[in-house]
Amino acid sequence: MMNSMIIGKYVPGDSLIHRLDPRTKLLLMFIYVFIVFLANNEWTYGVLTSFTCVLLFLSRIPLSFMIKGLKPVLWVIVFTFLLHVLLTKEGDVVFQWLGIEVYDKAIQQGAFISLRFLLLIVVTTLVTLTTTPIEVTDGMESLLSPLKKWNMPVHELALMMSISLRFIPTLMEETEKIMKAQMARGVDFSSGPLSERMKAMTALLVPLFISAFKRAEELAVAMEVRGYRGGNGRTKWRELTWRRIDTAFMLLLGLLAVLLWLLRS
């Protein structure tokens, strides 16, 4: 399951979404995070879902690949839905069992919040799937460039965020390898009392932290050997170019925000 996680991975391609300027995709992601909270009824969530499906279609990312990658976070979505169903006490009772009452408004709210969470994950994941780590770094640095007036280390911040995102799938693969190795040595992670399972996690966390620090040291040495000295005076081989299609996407996102506002109940 950990090996199937797609957060932080890049899938090479030549789709319309792949060819967008990384600044456009980052702005689209940030703005989408805000406008998704405008949805509060069936119409607005329908529009948001349709827009997300269009983005997924234009990216040419296989739906089966996306669904497989979302399995590790599926339990979080299900838990969010059940939490709202059990704790929300609004509307009419539609189900009652052993003193537990489920209301129609609770089911509706749980479905909306879970769908909102799912859409956020799909869009943010879609950005990393169609953007290389170098493009993410360049895009973030360009968007944060106004902060240089206040002597903020913009390049270093963008590089750290990009490296952190890139190492998510690497650490997940490393975790799976260590877990299989420890299970082959007789460590049980899935059964027994909670205290025993917590102790068993020590056999997983210690090697994982050692491996993470080792990779960080190797990366730091490699960057230093190649003459990396920060963002001052650095030039770029590939310059970012804002095109008409990027403007069109930003206008489309603005129209989406206006439409959601008009459809709000």
Side-chain angles (χ1 to χ4, degrees):
M1 180 176 290
M2 290 183 181
N3 194 34
S4 65
M5 182 171 288
I6 58 178
I7 299 176
K9 289 185 178 181
Y10 169 69
V11 178
D14 191 36
S15 67
L16 180 61
I17 305 298
H18 280 83
R19 295 194 300 269
L20 285 177
D21 190 286
R23 293 170 294 183
T24 303
K25 288 182 275 191
L26 290 172
L27 285 174
L28 187 148
M29 180 182 68
F30 293 142
I31 298 175
Y32 187 91
V33 170
F34 286 100
I35 67 174
V36 74
F37 291 96
L38 294 175
N40 63 349
N41 55 38
E42 293 84 354
W43 291 102
T44 51
Y45 276 104
V47 171
L48 270 178
T49 304
S50 301
F51 178 78
T52 306
C53 290
V54 170
L55 291 180
L56 187 60
F57 174 77
L58 294 176
S59 69
R60 297 181 184 175
I61 300 295
L63 184 60
S64 58
F65 178 78
M66 181 66 74
I67 294 175
K68 181 182 178 181
L70 292 176
K71 285 182 179 180
V73 297
L74 183 61
W75 68 271
V76 180
I77 298 174
V78 174
F79 176 76
T80 302
F81 174 76
L82 294 177
L83 194 65
H84 281 84
V85 167
L86 296 177
L87 297 182
T88 304
K89 306 295 181 181
E90 298 179 5
D92 301 324
V93 177
V94 297
F95 177 77
Q96 187 174 6
W97 181 69
L98 296 179
I100 301 176
E101 296 180 342
V102 177
Y103 296 79
D104 55 351
K105 290 291 185 181
I107 297 176
Q108 183 185 56
Q109 184 177 350
F112 284 167
I113 299 300
S114 300
L115 180 59
R116 178 186 296 173
F117 188 48
L118 177 62
L119 293 176
L120 286 173
I121 294 176
V122 170
V123 171
T124 53
T125 303
L126 196 61
V127 171
T128 60
L129 289 175
T130 58
T131 314
T132 63
I134 295 177
E135 290 177 337
V136 172
T137 302
D138 292 342
M140 286 185 177
E141 184 178 358
S142 178
L143 293 176
L144 297 175
S145 58
L147 297 178
K148 291 181 179 179
K149 297 180 181 179
W150 291 276
N151 297 323
M152 290 288 291
V154 173
H155 174 78
E156 288 76 6
L157 289 175
L159 183 62
M160 284 191 297
M161 287 188 285
S162 177
I163 291 176
S164 301
L165 192 64
R166 170 62 185 85
F167 268 82
I168 290 177
T170 303
L171 291 178
M172 291 298 103
E173 292 175 2
E174 190 74 19
T175 302
E176 188 171 20
K177 290 180 182 179
I178 296 174
M179 183 176 292
K180 289 181 178 179
Q182 298 291 15
M183 291 174 65
R185 292 172 172 82
V187 179
D188 190 2
F189 295 101
S190 57
S191 61
L194 181 60
S195 59
E196 294 296 329
R197 281 183 286 177
M198 293 296 292
K199 291 180 181 179
M201 291 299 294
T202 307
L204 174 65
L205 295 177
V206 172
L208 181 61
F209 273 103
I210 295 175
S211 175
F213 286 128
K214 183 179 179 180
R215 287 182 180 273
E217 184 180 8
E218 291 175 351
L219 179 61
V221 171
M223 294 173 67
E224 186 175 357
V225 169
R226 287 165 174 78
Y228 178 78
R229 293 295 182 272
N232 294 329
R234 289 181 63 87
T235 59
K236 291 182 172 57
W237 180 44
R238 295 178 180 176
E239 295 290 339
L240 300 180
T241 304
W242 188 276
R243 298 177 298 169
R244 293 181 179 178
I245 188 63
D246 300 295
T247 304
F249 261 86
M250 296 308 300
L251 291 175
L252 180 61
L253 193 62
L255 291 176
L256 175 66
V258 172
L259 183 59
L260 291 178
W261 181 264
L262 293 176
L263 292 176
R264 283 172 57 89
S265 58

